[in-house]
Amino acid sequence: MGLLGTISDALKASTQSTSREERSGEQSNGAYWCHDCSERLLDLDVEGDEPPACPECGDEMTFERSPGSTGCAC
């Protein structure tokens, strides 16, 4: 196959999603952010209803909706 096979394999790999949403069947509603540290935690990775503490600085993180959800995340 050579070059053609390598290109084909690379294209297949780039189009396959490895996101948690598709792996688990759950859809994310957004993520928690620490704007000071630029840390991000997907909402599916957070347990409970309270905003988590930032793993870097310990401050409470802010929830922001994903672009695909309805409404403004402002």
Side-chain angles (χ1 to χ4, degrees), residues 3-74:
L3 182 60
L4 184 57
T6 302
I7 293 172
S8 177
D9 290 344
L11 288 173
K12 287 178 188 176
S14 69
T15 59
Q16 293 176 346
S17 176
T18 58
S19 73
R20 181 179 176 134
E21 293 174 16
E22 292 187 12
R23 284 183 286 151
S24 68
E26 297 178 68
Q27 183 161 352
S28 171
N29 292 319
Y32 290 94
W33 288 88
C34 178
H35 296 282
D36 293 335
C37 300
S38 299
E39 285 289 322
R40 176 183 179 264
L41 293 175
L42 189 62
D43 66 333
L44 299 175
D45 294 332
V46 175
E47 293 182 18
D49 295 329
E50 297 297 317
C54 173
E56 291 290 319
C57 68
D59 288 345
E60 186 176 286
M61 299 177 87
T62 306
F63 183 76
E64 295 183 1
R65 287 178 265 172
S66 65
S69 64
T70 59
C72 179
C74 315

